[in-house]
Amino acid sequence: MLNRRAFVAAIGATLCTPVIGAQSAARPPRILFVCQFGSVKSAISRELLKRRAAQRHIPLIVVSRGITPEEHLSPAIKSRLLLEHIDPAAEPLRKLRQADLDAADRVIIFDKLPARLRAEALEDWTDLPSILNNYPKARADLDRRIDAVLASLVRRKAAGSRSP
């Protein structure tokens, strides 16, 4: 029988170990959000999905990457997000690599991937309105899409499927 420390270490190792290809039954699905800079749409989506999944007790791993990582949030949007308890900078900016795409069970893009990169389970959200130019509309659309992702994960789990 594991003591609490060993149990937490084992769970942490399971959640942090990347698995290439299809989702393993031993870990939750891995969702990857990708946008041009990695600091706006993908980072906000990552934080919203993590929060909502935790509220609904849906286990998953959520990460975000930028095609050309750069801090790109305006002060006005930063302030608004802070009021909503959303911190897109909760994780450091990281450049998208093929290994990130390979490790993901589901890839959601806000910008087209560079030609040299490929993803199997690709979901195109490039039509999301600009967060910087129309936050209320973009946020409402993003909320709807995130709820749909969570609903699909619940349906697949109930159906016994292993893919997100």
Side-chain angles (χ1 to χ4, degrees):
M1 183 161 158
L2 293 174
N3 65 28
R4 180 174 166 74
R5 181 177 293 182
F7 176 77
V8 170
I11 292 297
T14 300
L15 294 179
C16 295
T17 302
V19 176
I20 304 302
Q23 175 192 341
S24 166
R27 70 161 175 84
R30 184 179 181 94
I31 312 294
L32 170 65
F33 288 105
V34 178
C35 69
Q36 186 64 46
F37 301 111
S39 60
V40 185
K41 289 179 180 178
S42 64
I44 292 168
S45 299
R46 178 196 69 224
E47 294 304 307
L48 287 172
L49 182 57
K50 283 178 12 184
R51 177 192 299 174
R52 292 208 182 127
Q55 289 168 343
R56 297 176 189 178
H57 307 288
I58 300 171
L60 52 86
I61 300 166
V62 186
V63 295
S64 63
R65 298 291 185 263
I67 296 167
T68 55
E70 180 182 313
E71 182 58 46
H72 204 68
L73 274 175
S74 70
I77 295 296
K78 280 184 186 179
S79 296
R80 185 157 194 173
L81 292 170
L82 187 62
L83 290 173
E84 297 176 17
H85 306 286
I86 300 169
D87 181 9
E91 296 180 15
L93 288 174
R94 292 197 170 105
K95 183 172 179 62
L96 178 65
R97 300 170 301 127
Q98 184 62 52
D100 299 316
L101 297 164
D102 294 341
D105 298 304
R106 189 172 189 168
V107 177
I108 299 172
I109 59 167
F110 296 99
D111 294 283
K112 297 293 182 195
L113 293 177
R116 72 183 188 288
L117 299 176
R118 299 273 185 255
E120 281 188 38
L122 190 68
E123 197 166 322
D124 188 332
W125 288 9
T126 57
D127 62 340
L128 186 81
S130 170
I131 287 180
L132 301 176
N133 296 329
N134 193 349
Y135 183 79
K137 183 171 176 29
R139 178 60 194 273
D141 194 2
L142 193 55
D143 287 340
R144 179 185 56 78
R145 292 174 192 218
I146 287 173
D147 286 341
V149 167
L150 291 170
S152 74
L153 291 170
V154 169
R155 280 192 308 272
R156 284 190 171 102
K157 183 176 181 183
S161 172
R162 291 186 179 184
S163 62

